């Protein structure tokens, strides 16, 4: 099955992250014009993204903005549309963790995670949705998490935000399905990335034991799922939550 995203313009938030940069590369290889967002240009991850793209022959534009701030997100979308054209594909991939058991979690840890992981989805989707509906075509993919599906010790903030993302997906899919727009969630399991490497080694090893596939996922596992959901072929997949987790968590 060949996926052709030629002439499509894709905005990927968190485009400089481990998973986001692979999503950018996959969408680019499928033919899309890709704009990856990052929080600021002069950061190690943004520099790494530029380096990786160059090495892989992938051309991604970079748009720095704060996904947690509605004005910043709206201005960024306007800028993208002015420079490259209307956004056809939006992948909401920006995310952070601030892990702590609830009894030790402070309000800042709660607020930051909800703002960056969940408010961001509203902030970036609202400015693009009207255009997608008017043009009769759009793809929105929200990158949630296995921990939004099953919960995780130490992640009341993250699990709440990630579960909320899929609630958003299901509701918006119903609002836009008649107009050629799809809204889906991808829920990655534990993917080999700096976020997972930050988990204490003993806990990480225990998590690995619980993955029937016997390995952590790779960023390309997620990028392939996202690219499929952005394709013409996935036009009837709408409001779904696609788990990509090596059978670590299964549901009917
Ligand atoms: N289930 C039950 N009990 C657990 C537990 C678990 N999963 N994990 C820890 N505990 C217990 C410990 O055994 C310990 O018990 P005792 O006090 O009886 O010895 C107690 O809870 C530790 O509690 P503390 O309050 O001392 O916790 P802490 O402050 O030391 O650390 C933590 C808590 C930071 C959350 C740490 O457990 C941790 O990092 N956990 C991993 C969280 C995780 O998986 N994060 C995912 C990051 S990757 C990601 O988010 C990407 C994605 O989408 C998958």
């Amino acid at each position: 099955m060949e996926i052709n995203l030629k002439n499509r313009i894709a905005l990927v938030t968190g485009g400089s992250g481990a998973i986001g940069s692979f999503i950018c590369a996959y969408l680019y290889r499928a033919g899309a014009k890709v704009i990856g967002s990052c929080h600021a240009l002069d950061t190690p991850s943004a520099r790494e993204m530029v380096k990786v793209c160059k090495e892989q022959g992938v051309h991604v534009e970079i748009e720095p903005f704060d996904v947690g701030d509605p004005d910043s997100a709206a201005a960024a979308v306007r800028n993208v549309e002015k420079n490259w054209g209307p956004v056809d594909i939006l992948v909401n991939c920006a995310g952070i963790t601030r892990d702590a058991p609830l009894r030790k979690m402070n309000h800042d840890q709660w607020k930051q995670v909800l703002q960056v992981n969940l408010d961001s989805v509203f902030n970036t989707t609202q400015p693009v949705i009207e255009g997608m509906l008017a043009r009769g075509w759009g793809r929105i993919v929200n990158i949630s998490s296995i921990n939004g599906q099953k919960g995780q010790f130490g992640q009341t903030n993250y699990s709440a935000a990630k579960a909320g993302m899929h609630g958003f997906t299901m509701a918006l899919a119903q609002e836009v399905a008649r107009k050629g727009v799809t809204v889906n969630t991808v829920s990655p399991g534990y993917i080999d990335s700096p976020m997972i490497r930050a988990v204490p080694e003993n806990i990480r090893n225990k998590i690995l034991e619980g993955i029937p596939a016997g390995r952590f996922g790779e960023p390309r596992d997620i990028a392939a799922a996202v690219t499929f959901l952005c394709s013409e072929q996935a036009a009837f997949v709408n409001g779904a939550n696609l788990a990509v987790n090596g059978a670590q968590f299964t549901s009917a």
Side-chain angles (χ1 to χ4, degrees):
M1 183 181 77
E2 196 196 331
I3 293 177
N4 183 356
L5 299 178
K6 199 159 183 293
N7 299 326
R8 300 293 185 199
I9 295 178
L11 173 62
V12 180
T13 73
S16 61
I19 296 177
S21 54
F22 264 80
I23 294 172
C24 287
Y26 268 54
L27 294 178
Y28 173 84
R29 291 208 184 97
K33 169 83 191 164
V34 182
I35 299 99
S37 92
C38 56
H39 191 224
L41 272 184
D42 193 24
T43 60
S45 64
R47 284 193 290 274
E48 179 67 14
M49 179 192 187
V50 172
K51 185 171 149 254
V52 169
C53 286
K54 223 171 171 182
E55 281 166 8
Q56 300 191 358
V58 166
H59 186 80
V60 175
E61 309 290 348
I62 301 180
E63 178 71 29
F65 68 97
D66 178 357
V67 290
D69 176 55
D71 295 335
S72 172
V77 168
R78 277 198 301 274
N79 207 29
V80 166
E81 304 208 325
K82 176 167 73 79
N83 289 330
W84 296 290
V87 175
D88 302 302
I89 295 170
L90 171 67
V91 183
N92 286 307
C93 186
I96 57 168
T97 54
R98 296 289 182 269
D99 292 356
L102 185 68
R103 63 194 169 82
K104 290 185 183 171
M105 189 179 287
N106 61 42
H107 189 254
D108 270 354
Q109 291 169 308
W110 172 263
K111 205 172 69 183
Q112 283 170 15
V113 168
L114 269 288
Q115 220 166 37
V116 174
N117 297 15
L118 183 58
D119 289 1
S120 61
V121 178
F122 172 86
N123 295 340
T124 54
T125 308
Q126 239 249 349
V128 302
I129 197 71
E130 206 69 66
M132 289 180 178
L133 293 172
R135 293 186 302 279
W137 199 93
R139 295 285 184 268
I140 296 168
V141 183
N142 294 322
I143 309 300
S144 178
S145 165
I146 185 175
N147 293 342
Q149 298 180 291
K150 71 169 186 56
Q152 170 62 41
F153 187 103
Q155 287 198 310
T156 49
N157 50 3
Y158 187 85
S159 298
K162 292 298 190 180
M165 286 176 93
H166 187 55
F168 179 101
T169 291
M170 293 188 292
L172 184 60
Q174 293 178 33
E175 294 180 16
V176 300
R178 279 179 185 270
K179 299 282 172 71
V181 178
T182 71
V183 189
N184 290 290
T185 298
V186 170
S187 287
Y190 281 75
I191 306 300
D192 187 21
S193 64
M195 216 183 238
I196 301 301
R197 279 174 234 134
V199 172
E201 196 181 0
N202 58 331
I203 298 178
R204 205 169 59 233
N205 289 339
K206 250 195 164 146
I207 291 169
L208 182 56
E209 283 169 20
I211 304 176
R215 66 167 176 96
F216 290 119
E218 297 289 339
R220 63 171 172 267
D221 296 324
I222 307 307
V226 171
T227 306
F228 166 67
L229 290 172
C230 293
S231 68
E232 286 307 327
Q233 291 92 331
F236 203 57
V237 183
N238 211 343
N241 189 353
L242 179 54
V244 185
N245 64 30
Q248 186 184 354
F249 177 77
T250 54
S251 63

PDB file of all heavy atoms in Angstrom, residues 23-41:
ATOM      1  N   ILE A  23       8.204  11.150  13.251  1.00  0.00           N
ATOM      2  CA  ILE A  23       6.925  11.417  12.576  1.00  0.00           C
ATOM      3  C   ILE A  23       7.159  12.416  11.439  1.00  0.00           C
ATOM      4  O   ILE A  23       6.672  12.230  10.321  1.00  0.00           O
ATOM      5  CB  ILE A  23       5.870  11.938  13.583  1.00  0.00           C
ATOM      6  CG1 ILE A  23       5.521  10.834  14.588  1.00  0.00           C
ATOM      7  CG2 ILE A  23       4.619  12.454  12.864  1.00  0.00           C
ATOM      8  CD1 ILE A  23       4.632  11.285  15.738  1.00  0.00           C
ATOM      9  N   CYS A  24       7.937  13.458  11.731  1.00  0.00           N
ATOM     10  CA  CYS A  24       8.265  14.448  10.677  1.00  0.00           C
ATOM     11  C   CYS A  24       8.922  13.743   9.488  1.00  0.00           C
ATOM     12  O   CYS A  24       8.546  13.975   8.329  1.00  0.00           O
ATOM     13  CB  CYS A  24       9.232  15.510  11.223  1.00  0.00           C
ATOM     14  SG  CYS A  24       8.477  16.673  12.361  1.00  0.00           S
ATOM     15  N   ALA A  25       9.896  12.894   9.771  1.00  0.00           N
ATOM     16  CA  ALA A  25      10.646  12.239   8.685  1.00  0.00           C
ATOM     17  C   ALA A  25       9.724  11.329   7.864  1.00  0.00           C
ATOM     18  O   ALA A  25       9.790  11.313   6.633  1.00  0.00           O
ATOM     19  CB  ALA A  25      11.802  11.433   9.268  1.00  0.00           C
ATOM     20  N   TYR A  26       8.838  10.588   8.523  1.00  0.00           N
ATOM     21  CA  TYR A  26       7.942   9.676   7.804  1.00  0.00           C
ATOM     22  C   TYR A  26       6.952  10.456   6.921  1.00  0.00           C
ATOM     23  O   TYR A  26       6.681  10.069   5.787  1.00  0.00           O
ATOM     24  CB  TYR A  26       7.186   8.772   8.789  1.00  0.00           C
ATOM     25  CG  TYR A  26       7.884   7.461   9.048  1.00  0.00           C
ATOM     26  CD1 TYR A  26       9.211   7.412   9.459  1.00  0.00           C
ATOM     27  CD2 TYR A  26       7.218   6.240   8.887  1.00  0.00           C
ATOM     28  CE1 TYR A  26       9.859   6.216   9.698  1.00  0.00           C
ATOM     29  CE2 TYR A  26       7.858   5.035   9.126  1.00  0.00           C
ATOM     30  CZ  TYR A  26       9.170   5.024   9.527  1.00  0.00           C
ATOM     31  OH  TYR A  26       9.812   3.838   9.762  1.00  0.00           O
ATOM     32  N   LEU A  27       6.397  11.542   7.480  1.00  0.00           N
ATOM     33  CA  LEU A  27       5.433  12.326   6.688  1.00  0.00           C
ATOM     34  C   LEU A  27       6.140  12.970   5.496  1.00  0.00           C
ATOM     35  O   LEU A  27       5.594  13.029   4.387  1.00  0.00           O
ATOM     36  CB  LEU A  27       4.765  13.398   7.568  1.00  0.00           C
ATOM     37  CG  LEU A  27       3.871  12.869   8.694  1.00  0.00           C
ATOM     38  CD1 LEU A  27       3.313  14.033   9.519  1.00  0.00           C
ATOM     39  CD2 LEU A  27       2.721  12.013   8.166  1.00  0.00           C
ATOM     40  N   TYR A  28       7.374  13.418   5.723  1.00  0.00           N
ATOM     41  CA  TYR A  28       8.160  14.006   4.624  1.00  0.00           C
ATOM     42  C   TYR A  28       8.380  12.962   3.533  1.00  0.00           C
ATOM     43  O   TYR A  28       8.194  13.236   2.344  1.00  0.00           O
ATOM     44  CB  TYR A  28       9.493  14.520   5.167  1.00  0.00           C
ATOM     45  CG  TYR A  28      10.438  14.995   4.088  1.00  0.00           C
ATOM     46  CD1 TYR A  28      10.343  16.288   3.575  1.00  0.00           C
ATOM     47  CD2 TYR A  28      11.409  14.139   3.565  1.00  0.00           C
ATOM     48  CE1 TYR A  28      11.189  16.722   2.564  1.00  0.00           C
ATOM     49  CE2 TYR A  28      12.263  14.568   2.555  1.00  0.00           C
ATOM     50  CZ  TYR A  28      12.151  15.854   2.060  1.00  0.00           C
ATOM     51  OH  TYR A  28      12.991  16.273   1.064  1.00  0.00           O
ATOM     52  N   ARG A  29       8.761  11.762   3.946  1.00  0.00           N
ATOM     53  CA  ARG A  29       9.037  10.711   2.945  1.00  0.00           C
ATOM     54  C   ARG A  29       7.769  10.294   2.198  1.00  0.00           C
ATOM     55  O   ARG A  29       7.839   9.812   1.068  1.00  0.00           O
ATOM     56  CB  ARG A  29       9.669   9.494   3.617  1.00  0.00           C
ATOM     57  CG  ARG A  29      11.073   9.805   4.087  1.00  0.00           C
ATOM     58  CD  ARG A  29      11.972   8.589   4.128  1.00  0.00           C
ATOM     59  NE  ARG A  29      13.257   8.961   4.674  1.00  0.00           N
ATOM     60  CZ  ARG A  29      13.624   8.800   5.948  1.00  0.00           C
ATOM     61  NH1 ARG A  29      12.797   8.228   6.805  1.00  0.00           N
ATOM     62  NH2 ARG A  29      14.810   9.184   6.369  1.00  0.00           N
ATOM     63  N   ALA A  30       6.602  10.503   2.845  1.00  0.00           N
ATOM     64  CA  ALA A  30       5.332  10.190   2.154  1.00  0.00           C
ATOM     65  C   ALA A  30       4.922  11.336   1.230  1.00  0.00           C
ATOM     66  O   ALA A  30       3.891  11.256   0.567  1.00  0.00           O
ATOM     67  CB  ALA A  30       4.239   9.904   3.174  1.00  0.00           C
ATOM     68  N   GLY A  31       5.704  12.413   1.210  1.00  0.00           N
ATOM     69  CA  GLY A  31       5.452  13.488   0.242  1.00  0.00           C
ATOM     70  C   GLY A  31       4.968  14.805   0.811  1.00  0.00           C
ATOM     71  O   GLY A  31       4.806  15.767   0.070  1.00  0.00           O
ATOM     72  N   ALA A  32       4.703  14.846   2.129  1.00  0.00           N
ATOM     73  CA  ALA A  32       4.147  16.084   2.707  1.00  0.00           C
ATOM     74  C   ALA A  32       5.216  17.155   2.881  1.00  0.00           C
ATOM     75  O   ALA A  32       6.404  16.855   2.993  1.00  0.00           O
ATOM     76  CB  ALA A  32       3.505  15.775   4.064  1.00  0.00           C
ATOM     77  N   LYS A  33       4.747  18.399   2.907  1.00  0.00           N
ATOM     78  CA  LYS A  33       5.583  19.514   3.353  1.00  0.00           C
ATOM     79  C   LYS A  33       5.437  19.525   4.878  1.00  0.00           C
ATOM     80  O   LYS A  33       4.320  19.579   5.388  1.00  0.00           O
ATOM     81  CB  LYS A  33       5.037  20.817   2.748  1.00  0.00           C
ATOM     82  CG  LYS A  33       5.638  22.059   3.327  1.00  0.00           C
ATOM     83  CD  LYS A  33       6.934  22.344   2.640  1.00  0.00           C
ATOM     84  CE  LYS A  33       7.733  23.419   3.335  1.00  0.00           C
ATOM     85  NZ  LYS A  33       9.126  23.434   2.903  1.00  0.00           N
ATOM     86  N   VAL A  34       6.549  19.439   5.616  1.00  0.00           N
ATOM     87  CA  VAL A  34       6.433  19.234   7.063  1.00  0.00           C
ATOM     88  C   VAL A  34       7.020  20.411   7.850  1.00  0.00           C
ATOM     89  O   VAL A  34       8.125  20.874   7.561  1.00  0.00           O
ATOM     90  CB  VAL A  34       7.149  17.931   7.490  1.00  0.00           C
ATOM     91  CG1 VAL A  34       6.984  17.695   8.986  1.00  0.00           C
ATOM     92  CG2 VAL A  34       6.603  16.734   6.712  1.00  0.00           C
ATOM     93  N   ILE A  35       6.250  20.837   8.817  1.00  0.00           N
ATOM     94  CA  ILE A  35       6.725  21.870   9.732  1.00  0.00           C
ATOM     95  C   ILE A  35       6.706  21.248  11.133  1.00  0.00           C
ATOM     96  O   ILE A  35       5.675  20.785  11.610  1.00  0.00           O
ATOM     97  CB  ILE A  35       5.810  23.124   9.714  1.00  0.00           C
ATOM     98  CG1 ILE A  35       5.812  23.731   8.299  1.00  0.00           C
ATOM     99  CG2 ILE A  35       6.282  24.164  10.734  1.00  0.00           C
ATOM    100  CD1 ILE A  35       4.643  23.378   7.468  1.00  0.00           C
ATOM    101  N   GLY A  36       7.858  21.207  11.770  1.00  0.00           N
ATOM    102  CA  GLY A  36       7.949  20.652  13.116  1.00  0.00           C
ATOM    103  C   GLY A  36       8.043  21.788  14.110  1.00  0.00           C
ATOM    104  O   GLY A  36       8.781  22.745  13.898  1.00  0.00           O
ATOM    105  N   SER A  37       7.266  21.693  15.184  1.00  0.00           N
ATOM    106  CA  SER A  37       7.380  22.758  16.187  1.00  0.00           C
ATOM    107  C   SER A  37       8.299  22.320  17.307  1.00  0.00           C
ATOM    108  O   SER A  37       8.467  21.126  17.570  1.00  0.00           O
ATOM    109  CB  SER A  37       5.994  23.115  16.750  1.00  0.00           C
ATOM    110  OG  SER A  37       5.721  22.355  17.916  1.00  0.00           O
ATOM    111  N   CYS A  38       8.917  23.303  17.934  1.00  0.00           N
ATOM    112  CA  CYS A  38       9.669  23.032  19.160  1.00  0.00           C
ATOM    113  C   CYS A  38       9.448  24.245  20.059  1.00  0.00           C
ATOM    114  O   CYS A  38       8.918  25.266  19.612  1.00  0.00           O
ATOM    115  CB  CYS A  38      11.145  22.828  18.866  1.00  0.00           C
ATOM    116  SG  CYS A  38      11.872  24.211  17.991  1.00  0.00           S
ATOM    117  N   HIS A  39       9.837  24.119  21.316  1.00  0.00           N
ATOM    118  CA  HIS A  39       9.540  25.195  22.259  1.00  0.00           C
ATOM    119  C   HIS A  39      10.366  26.434  21.951  1.00  0.00           C
ATOM    120  O   HIS A  39       9.869  27.548  21.967  1.00  0.00           O
ATOM    121  CB  HIS A  39       9.772  24.709  23.685  1.00  0.00           C
ATOM    122  CG  HIS A  39       9.233  25.659  24.701  1.00  0.00           C
ATOM    123  ND1 HIS A  39       9.920  26.006  25.827  1.00  0.00           N
ATOM    124  CD2 HIS A  39       8.084  26.364  24.734  1.00  0.00           C
ATOM    125  CE1 HIS A  39       9.208  26.890  26.505  1.00  0.00           C
ATOM    126  NE2 HIS A  39       8.091  27.119  25.875  1.00  0.00           N
ATOM    127  N   ALA A  40      11.642  26.228  21.650  1.00  0.00           N
ATOM    128  CA  ALA A  40      12.527  27.346  21.320  1.00  0.00           C
ATOM    129  C   ALA A  40      13.574  26.832  20.344  1.00  0.00           C
ATOM    130  O   ALA A  40      13.905  25.649  20.353  1.00  0.00           O
ATOM    131  CB  ALA A  40      13.172  27.878  22.590  1.00  0.00           C
ATOM    132  N   LEU A  41      14.094  27.741  19.527  1.00  0.00           N
ATOM    133  CA  LEU A  41      15.052  27.307  18.502  1.00  0.00           C
ATOM    134  C   LEU A  41      16.394  26.877  19.079  1.00  0.00           C
ATOM    135  O   LEU A  41      16.981  25.899  18.639  1.00  0.00           O
ATOM    136  CB  LEU A  41      15.286  28.450  17.513  1.00  0.00           C
ATOM    137  CG  LEU A  41      14.336  28.529  16.330  1.00  0.00           C
ATOM    138  CD1 LEU A  41      14.769  29.637  15.408  1.00  0.00           C
ATOM    139  CD2 LEU A  41      14.278  27.197  15.580  1.00  0.00           C
TER     140      LEU A  41
END
